Amino acid sequence: MLIDRDNRLPLYIQLKDLIIEKIENGEWKRGEVLPTEMELQKTLEVSRTTVRQALTELVFEGILERKQGKGTYVADEKYKPTRPGITGFTKDIEMEGHTTNSIVITEKMVTDANVARQLNINPERKILRLERIRLVNGIPIGYHDTFLNIDLTPKINLKKYNFASESLYSALESEGVIIGDSAETLEAAIPSQKHTEILKIDNQTPVLKINRVARLENGIAYEFSKMVYRSDKYKYSINLKQ
């Protein structure tokens, strides 16, 4: 590792680049612990502030991760499903060769005025709420809070499905419900206390928040989902076609 003090780039940026280079050339492998801050400071003859700023930014960018009481590690590769169209989380992740399952928090009929506005229905109408923690290879990656206006599909029976292990979209398809177009909004955010506890992250790890309104083939809003993903483990990627 070398820091060039004649370089106009700030020292912490040079240190970031050096760390990334070592990761990319395989010298520091995913899941491997980095030298301590003090070791980096002595080796490079830079200040503790320089080391901390470089490491903090790399943690924020998801390249490194901190484990309390253990040190700073090279982060595991992020899950990055590439979505050609409207698919569910389970299919997206399993297409990448990973195993998925869920912890079901809530599965019941509710009323919710905010969700009703998204679905353009009477706020007193009962809708099905399915609230889940989404796991990939046993690790909590996302949180889904999904609402379905099942009055539009009165003949379906979702009670026979186990959503701890089964895909909601696959279940809907099996029941003859075909999802048409959907609209999503995505933003970066600081996690709430609930999300830090559910996703096993600290309150400085940013999350990706995605809201989705999905419609039936006839264009009527059927599903509203609020999804939160760990940005250190998950990337959102989509193909756009003209």
Side-chain angles (χ1 to χ4, degrees), residues 18-31:
L18 287 170
I19 293 172
I20 291 171
E21 182 181 342
K22 282 184 172 291
I23 294 170
E24 289 179 345
N25 67 25
E27 187 173 342
W28 288 348
K29 296 178 173 53
R30 296 191 183 279

Side-chain angles (χ1 to χ4, degrees), residues 1 12-28 34-35 40 44 50-51 54-56 58 63-64 72-74:
M1 275 191 174
Y12 80 92
I13 293 179
Q14 292 188 54
L15 178 54
K16 285 178 63 179
D17 290 341
L18 287 170
I19 293 172
I20 291 171
E21 182 181 342
K22 282 184 172 291
I23 294 170
E24 289 179 345
N25 67 25
E27 187 173 342
W28 288 348
L34 267 65
L40 290 172
L44 299 170
T50 295
V51 173
L55 296 183
T56 298
L58 289 171
I63 296 169
L64 303 178
T72 304
Y73 288 72
V74 180

Side-chain angles (χ1 to χ4, degrees), residues 157-169:
N157 178 17
L158 295 180
K159 292 182 179 179
K160 64 185 180 183
Y161 298 95
N162 178 6
F163 292 116
S165 58
E166 296 182 76
S167 161
L168 172 60
Y169 272 29

Side-chain angles (χ1 to χ4, degrees), residues 58-237:
L58 289 171
V59 168
F60 185 83
E61 293 166 13
I63 296 169
L64 303 178
E65 62 179 329
R66 287 196 174 103
K67 298 182 181 180
Q68 191 169 0
K70 295 183 178 180
T72 304
Y73 288 72
V74 180
D76 292 329
E77 188 172 4
K78 295 184 182 183
Y79 303 111
K80 189 181 69 173
T82 300
R83 306 182 58 213
I86 303 167
T87 53
F89 178 85
T90 301
K91 183 177 180 180
D92 288 343
I93 296 298
E94 290 182 349
M95 286 176 64
E96 296 292 309
H98 303 289
T99 60
T100 66
N101 62 297
S102 301
I103 298 172
V104 178
I105 302 173
T106 304
E107 185 178 357
K108 63 181 181 180
M109 300 298 293
V110 300
T111 57
D112 188 302
N114 291 327
V115 174
R117 280 195 293 273
Q118 297 291 335
L119 295 175
N120 196 27
I121 59 176
N122 188 307
E124 296 181 359
R125 179 182 292 185
K126 292 268 188 178
I127 47 182
L128 175 64
R129 182 184 187 188
L130 180 59
E131 184 184 16
R132 294 166 292 169
I133 303 171
R134 312 309 302 269
L135 309 177
V136 178
N137 302 330
I139 299 171
I141 298 298
Y143 165 77
H144 287 189
D145 200 5
T146 298
F147 301 84
L148 300 178
N149 181 11
I150 58 173
D151 278 358
L152 295 174
T153 53
K155 295 182 180 180
I156 70 171
N157 178 17
L158 295 180
K159 292 182 179 179
K160 64 185 180 183
Y161 298 95
N162 178 6
F163 292 116
S165 58
E166 296 182 76
S167 161
L168 172 60
Y169 272 29
S170 293
L172 290 172
E173 187 174 344
S174 296
E175 294 293 311
V177 178
I178 306 300
I179 300 296
D181 295 335
S182 72
E184 294 184 345
T185 60
L186 182 150
E187 62 180 329
I190 296 299
S192 65
Q193 182 175 348
K194 176 179 180 177
H195 295 146
T196 61
E197 294 171 357
I198 285 175
L199 299 176
K200 310 298 183 187
I201 56 176
D202 62 44
N203 59 11
Q204 296 303 308
T205 300
V207 293
L208 297 176
K209 295 177 68 175
I210 302 173
N211 288 352
R212 173 194 292 171
V213 176
R215 302 177 183 278
L216 299 177
E217 288 184 302
N218 61 10
I220 299 176
Y222 183 70
E223 170 207 348
F224 176 65
S225 287
K226 297 181 287 185
M227 299 169 277
V228 179
Y229 295 102
R230 296 174 54 165
S231 67
D232 63 332
K233 295 289 185 182
Y234 186 88
K235 286 182 179 180
Y236 187 86
S237 179

